[in-house]
Amino acid sequence: MRVDRFLSNLSRFNRRQVRLLLVERRVSVDGVVVSDPHHEVREFSRVCVDDDVLQAGKPARYFMLHKPQGCVSATVDPQHPTVLDLLDEPDKHELHIAGRLDFNTTGLMLITNDGQWSRRLTQPQTKLPKVYRVETEQDIGPQYAQTFAAGLYFAFEDLTTQPAELTLLGARTARLSIIEGRYHQVKRMFGHFNNKVIGLHRERMGPLVLDATLAPGQYRALTAEEIRQV
Ligand code: URA
């Protein structure tokens, strides 16, 4: 929200007063004086007028988890353990998953309370690659790479997937980089060739790589640099 709207909404100041406060350089956001009425205020921002704290701002939180098999990418599930059960953190209900994985898929999972940040990571428009190591039941044919690069038509969504890059690592293993994350996308892409995916592991989302020191089920907070990269 714009800082002028934020201040007007408090009902403590009218619009004219808000304009003046900004011009008089009495407003600060995160410790920095702000005079631009368009300056963005978020739930995480600390907003002051003179020495009055109008919003304390809550901490933005970011975690990477090595998702193990056999847990669901949901915040609650009546039957199975969820990825949030693996986190020993307060106020877990405020957290959400940036890019779900199937029950038996392993690998990089990002969890945060910052919706803008997770949207940047998962929206197809930002074109951040999601990189998977895939293991299949049958040999991966030479025609797969070209078909994936051209895009596959998904009738259910009535869309053609964005170009994906396939690199063979063995007869039945490959690395696949995709831009969007449609429902069961990787399995459906291999399903086009009637080739079942029997192992799926996410190695990377955009600039963020799964920390090799994290065993399945372990997690850690992202570093300031990792958060900034998205
Ligand atoms: N594609 C799939 O089919 N499953 C996943 O878990 C992730 C991508």
Side-chain angles (χ1 to χ4, degrees):
M1 187 192 308
R2 295 161 47 146
V3 68
D4 58 348
R5 301 241 167 90
F6 172 86
L7 293 168
S8 309
N9 287 352
L10 294 176
S11 73
R12 188 166 148 179
F13 313 106
N14 63 34
R15 293 234 193 119
R16 197 182 104 78
Q17 288 169 317
V18 166
R19 261 200 312 276
L20 277 175
L21 288 173
L22 288 164
V23 170
E24 290 167 356
R25 305 181 62 77
R26 292 169 60 192
V27 181
S28 71
V29 177
D30 295 328
V32 177
V33 171
V34 159
S35 55
D36 176 5
H38 294 93
H39 189 97
E40 171 91 344
V41 167
R42 307 187 56 202
E43 59 203 303
F44 310 116
S45 314
R46 180 180 177 86
V47 185
C48 299
V49 168
D50 302 328
D51 290 330
D52 268 359
V53 180
L54 303 185
Q55 175 175 276
K58 60 176 184 184
R61 299 186 289 161
Y62 310 86
F63 304 101
M64 77 158 63
L65 166 78
H66 186 164
K67 181 191 173 296
Q69 284 198 332
C71 77
V72 283
S73 291
T75 44
V76 279
D77 188 274
Q79 275 175 22
H80 302 286
T82 73
V83 289
L84 281 189
D85 292 335
L86 297 166
L87 266 58
D88 182 18
E89 298 293 332
D91 302 320
K92 287 202 272 191
H93 61 276
E94 293 180 357
L95 300 172
H96 64 267
I97 296 157
R100 294 167 186 277
L101 292 175
D102 294 338
F103 188 65
N104 280 325
T105 301
T106 58
L108 176 64
M109 173 145 278
L110 295 163
I111 300 167
T112 180
N113 62 347
D114 183 346
Q116 276 185 17
W117 185 86
S118 61
R119 273 192 295 281
R120 278 204 298 283
L121 199 65
T122 53
Q123 270 174 351
Q125 297 92 294
T126 48
K127 296 205 186 290
L128 291 179
K130 286 82 188 172
V131 181
Y132 293 86
R133 204 176 57 233
V134 189
E135 213 185 309
T136 57
E137 204 169 68
Q138 319 288 331
D139 287 1
I140 299 169
Q143 72 281 34
Y144 285 38
Q146 210 185 352
T147 305
F148 291 172
L152 274 175
Y153 178 67
F154 282 0
F156 183 73
E157 293 95 335
D158 187 26
L159 60 81
T160 301
T161 56
Q162 297 197 36
E165 201 180 311
L166 185 78
T167 312
L168 275 185
L169 303 174
R172 296 179 183 181
T173 30
R175 181 165 287 124
L176 179 68
S177 177
I178 59 175
I179 298 298
E180 69 263 75
R182 304 287 165 196
Y183 181 67
H184 292 328
Q185 179 162 341
V186 176
K187 290 174 186 162
R188 289 162 76 192
M189 289 172 74
F190 283 88
H192 174 78
F193 296 103
N194 289 318
N195 194 352
K196 191 171 171 200
V197 170
I198 54 172
L200 190 55
H201 178 83
R202 184 158 63 198
E203 299 177 325
R204 188 155 78 80
M205 293 182 80
L208 303 179
V209 180
L210 178 63
D211 187 330
T213 64
L214 294 175
Q218 290 184 328
Y219 75 100
R220 68 160 169 83
L222 292 190
T223 64
E225 176 58 17
E226 285 171 330
I227 297 163
R228 202 193 50 74
Q229 283 172 352
V230 173

